[in-house]
Amino acid sequence: MTDDVLFTVDGAIATITLNRPQKLNAVTPEMADAIVAAVEECNDSDTIRCVILTGAGERAFCAGSDIRELDTYETPWQFRNRPDYCDAFRALLKPTICAVNGYALGGGLETAMSCDIRIASDNAQFAAPEIKLGWIGGGGMAAHLMHSIGASNAALMLMTGDAIPADKALAWGLVSEIVPQAELLPRARAIADVIASRAPIAAETAKANLKAAVSMPVDKAIEYERDLQTICFATADAAEGRAAFKEKRAPVFRRR
């Protein structure tokens, strides 16, 4: 794994850090490969229950793909079929928290929106600036913005390319919380600790259920939710939860 992507595990929580602060954590093809590998490790682990994604340094979470690398693709088709780091994060089965410190631009914004929960430092800024260079985003930009902030706000960001500050991102629903920069990672860790304490199968099922809620008609999404609830209800963890409730104690979940 390249040093430009750091992967650490502390207990049940994994942290993926984009570690190229001198370039605003812009992602290279080598970094994309490392992200794919880190996601696969998280998905294969029975002990990792939550994943935090962040960027190194104080200036930026991620400025998207390194534009200087884009001309290395021999054809537009090769560019289109490259390993995509946004796809990798969407493939994570475990709950994900994005701690956005500073700029989240282009693919960095798409990456943040590919996570389940987003919290931001008070100096964070968000933008879809691709239009300023002659193209648009391709990592889920329009779809995620539409679902997150509505059609008019999405159009404003996509068609101007201008950034919005953290307080506007909060007001629009793009992030859940704003905290001082020094408190960003501790707050992300606190949320991750809570999620990791919950029944892991239920947490992963809740994530799958949220994806279905976005992509399915309402009646089918509710039907799917009921099926997922039934699957959870049949697990040993659910039996432990019911027993703990009756015995007035905290449940101990073991991913069963």
Side-chain angles (χ1 to χ4, degrees), residues 147 207-221 224:
H147 287 296
K207 176 169 181 150
N209 193 28
L210 285 167
K211 286 187 175 182
V214 169
S215 60
M216 290 182 177
V218 172
D219 57 339
K220 292 299 181 183
Y224 183 63

Side-chain angles (χ1 to χ4, degrees), residues 187-234:
R187 177 57 181 151
R189 177 71 195 217
I191 297 171
D193 282 336
V194 172
I195 294 172
S197 73
R198 306 309 189 206
I201 293 175
E204 291 182 33
T205 304
K207 176 169 181 150
N209 193 28
L210 285 167
K211 286 187 175 182
V214 169
S215 60
M216 290 182 177
V218 172
D219 57 339
K220 292 299 181 183
I222 294 173
E223 182 180 336
Y224 183 63
E225 180 177 75
R226 196 151 294 150
D227 291 340
L228 292 177
Q229 182 191 47
T230 303
I231 291 169
C232 287
F233 200 75

Side-chain angles (χ1 to χ4, degrees), residues 64-78:
S65 298
D66 189 333
I67 294 173
R68 293 173 180 82
E69 298 279 346
L70 298 183
D71 285 335
T72 62
Y73 297 100
E74 294 181 0
T75 67
W77 190 246
Q78 185 185 53

Side-chain angles (χ1 to χ4, degrees), residues 25-50:
N25 298 316
V27 178
T28 64
E30 293 76 20
M31 291 172 68
D33 290 340
I35 290 167
V36 170
V39 167
E40 289 175 349
E41 186 166 344
C42 291
N43 283 343
D44 289 342
S45 172
D46 283 335
T47 57
I48 294 172
R49 296 188 176 186
C50 190

Side-chain angles (χ1 to χ4, degrees), residues 6 28 53 59 100 136 175 251:
L6 305 179
T28 64
L53 171 64
R59 294 179 61 202
V100 181
I136 62 171
V175 299

Side-chain angles (χ1 to χ4, degrees), residues 53-139:
L53 171 64
T54 193
E58 298 181 353
R59 294 179 61 202
F61 161 64
C62 177
S65 298
D66 189 333
I67 294 173
R68 293 173 180 82
E69 298 279 346
L70 298 183
D71 285 335
T72 62
Y73 297 100
E74 294 181 0
T75 67
W77 190 246
Q78 185 185 53
F79 168 72
R80 186 253 181 268
N81 292 317
R82 72 197 184 284
D84 188 272
Y85 49 95
C86 298
D87 290 345
F89 286 116
R90 282 192 290 270
L92 259 170
L93 301 177
K94 312 298 171 71
T96 54
I97 301 166
C98 187
V100 181
N101 48 312
Y103 295 116
L105 309 177
L109 174 55
E110 290 169 330
T111 297
M113 293 190 294
S114 297
C115 296
D116 302 309
I117 298 167
R118 292 172 294 281
I119 61 173
S121 60
D122 49 13
N123 70 324
Q125 294 190 52
F126 303 83
E130 291 92 341
I131 195 168
K132 295 182 178 182
L133 296 177
W135 61 88
I136 62 171

